Amino acid sequence: MTPDIYYIHRGKIPRYLLCSMENTRVFNPDARIFLLGDASHSTFKRLGVTLIPFDTLPHDDLDFFQASYRHTSGNPEAFERFCFARWFYLHEAVRANGSEIAIHLDSDCLIFDSAEALAQRLLPEKALCYFGPDGNPHLALFRPKGISGMAATLRTLFQTEYYRDWAQMNWREMRRFFCDMAGLDYYVQQNPGAVFDQTEWPDAIVEQTMSVAHGYTLWPGRKKLKRVQWRIENDRLVPYLTRMADGGQVRALALHYKGASKRYMRRFNRVSDFAVAQKVRCFLNNHLPPINRSTVFMKGSNPT
């Protein structure tokens, strides 16, 4: 069965989310793609994206969590609450849709492989979940038991000794914010061996943050961004990153345009495309630095 793909976004639909959705659809023509949110867009019908409004999902566990939440973060409280809430929404949607494997994508993440291939690589048979080191969930995979267990862990997170010990530290000066990634880390501690978190292989990489080198070449200039070399493979633009150490290239299974880097996201692949346009776009992307589309591009942005 093809894994289901989920986005979770609150508020107006920004352009970078539509870029991500279209890229996902190109690589997954038959997958079910869902948006858990509170706003629709005319593009959803063309891309075959199903909107699931937040208020149609059960929220008993989320209400329990929200009542116990303690804000211990330098980020806005509404931001942190929603970051936690998305995992409860995902849990309920996976249960309602009968998803055997759920792929969660942040709105600023692009994938360049099929859902089946990603699941085969990122979710070994014994694993219940996949997300990156330190609980980075911009690309995450879950079996039903995995997302159910994680929601149960988060439900009582602020009543645990783990949180009480953390809250006693001088977190403001240390700039350590208690966020949903801390909750994911606690889930890992409680369920050793359940989470697979590998990000690099000899032939491929799940890219973590486009604005940080992590050993790969960057575009020159003041605003740093990993330099991607694009190739046309099976009528799709596929990204490769170049290692600084030896100049070798590895295929990127995903690119994460975190934070302000969202404004550099483009429609690298389009559902309706033709060869000449692909070749032109490939050439331009390989030779011209990414263009900042200005703050207008960021309108409607949110934590996911």
Side-chain angles (χ1 to χ4, degrees), residues 44-270:
F44 288 178
K45 183 177 181 180
R46 179 175 66 86
L47 298 180
V49 174
T50 300
L51 174 67
I52 302 179
F54 290 135
D55 59 10
T56 64
L57 295 168
H59 50 80
D60 291 347
D61 287 340
L62 177 57
D63 287 347
F64 182 93
F65 167 82
Q66 297 287 25
S68 68
Y69 177 83
R70 300 292 179 267
H71 191 57
T72 325
S73 169
N75 292 321
E77 182 171 345
F79 174 99
E80 295 293 17
R81 282 183 179 271
F82 183 74
C83 285
F84 276 106
R86 57 182 171 164
W87 305 117
F88 294 95
Y89 289 130
L90 180 62
H91 174 226
E92 297 296 350
V94 166
R95 186 158 54 181
N97 291 321
S99 302
E100 293 185 5
I101 295 177
I103 297 179
H104 164 268
L105 291 176
D106 273 356
S107 55
D108 55 6
C109 181
L110 294 159
I111 58 170
F112 296 89
D113 212 341
S114 69
E116 295 95 331
L118 289 171
Q120 185 175 4
R121 186 186 289 261
L122 303 180
L123 202 62
E125 187 174 346
K126 294 182 179 180
L128 298 179
C129 314
Y130 170 86
F131 40 83
D134 302 318
N136 194 334
H138 64 274
L139 167 58
L141 282 76
F142 300 94
R143 302 188 196 280
K145 186 177 178 181
I147 186 61
S148 177
M150 198 173 82
T153 298
L154 295 178
R155 185 177 185 271
T156 57
L157 179 66
F158 285 87
Q159 300 171 351
T160 62
E161 185 176 350
Y162 173 79
Y163 171 71
R164 289 193 294 270
D165 290 345
W166 192 96
Q168 290 175 5
M169 70 172 66
N170 195 359
W171 60 270
R172 290 184 185 275
E173 290 189 9
M174 297 172 66
R175 293 190 58 80
R176 291 188 61 190
F177 302 161
F178 198 85
C179 60
D180 65 321
M181 289 193 291
L184 270 59
D185 180 65
Y186 182 60
Y187 173 77
V188 173
Q189 293 182 29
Q190 297 299 301
N191 300 272
V195 179
F196 185 67
D197 66 356
Q198 187 172 343
T199 59
E200 295 190 48
W201 298 263
D203 64 323
I205 179 174
V206 174
E207 194 279 328
Q208 297 290 300
T209 307
M210 285 292 286
S211 57
V212 181
H214 290 143
Y216 292 89
T217 58
L218 301 170
W219 281 99
R222 184 173 60 87
K223 293 187 179 296
K224 302 297 184 184
L225 202 68
K226 284 190 179 76
R227 182 163 188 168
V228 178
Q229 290 297 311
W230 297 89
R231 304 179 190 175
I232 299 176
E233 298 177 358
N234 298 319
D235 297 323
R236 300 163 184 158
L237 267 67
V238 175
Y240 285 78
L241 300 179
T242 304
R243 291 189 298 264
M244 292 181 181
D246 59 10
Q249 292 191 342
V250 293
R251 189 185 191 283
L253 304 176
L255 300 177
H256 182 213
Y257 288 80
K258 182 179 179 181
S261 296
K262 291 184 181 78
R263 65 190 68 182
Y264 296 108
M265 288 174 66
R266 298 174 181 172
R267 291 176 64 192
F268 295 109
N269 288 283
R270 304 185 183 189

Side-chain angles (χ1 to χ4, degrees), residues 16-37:
Y16 58 80
L17 174 55
L18 297 176
C19 290
S20 178
M21 287 178 169
E22 181 157 25
N23 202 77
T24 295
R25 177 54 76 198
V26 168
F27 283 86
N28 295 274
D30 301 319
R32 295 197 298 179
I33 303 177
F34 299 97
L35 171 68
L36 313 184

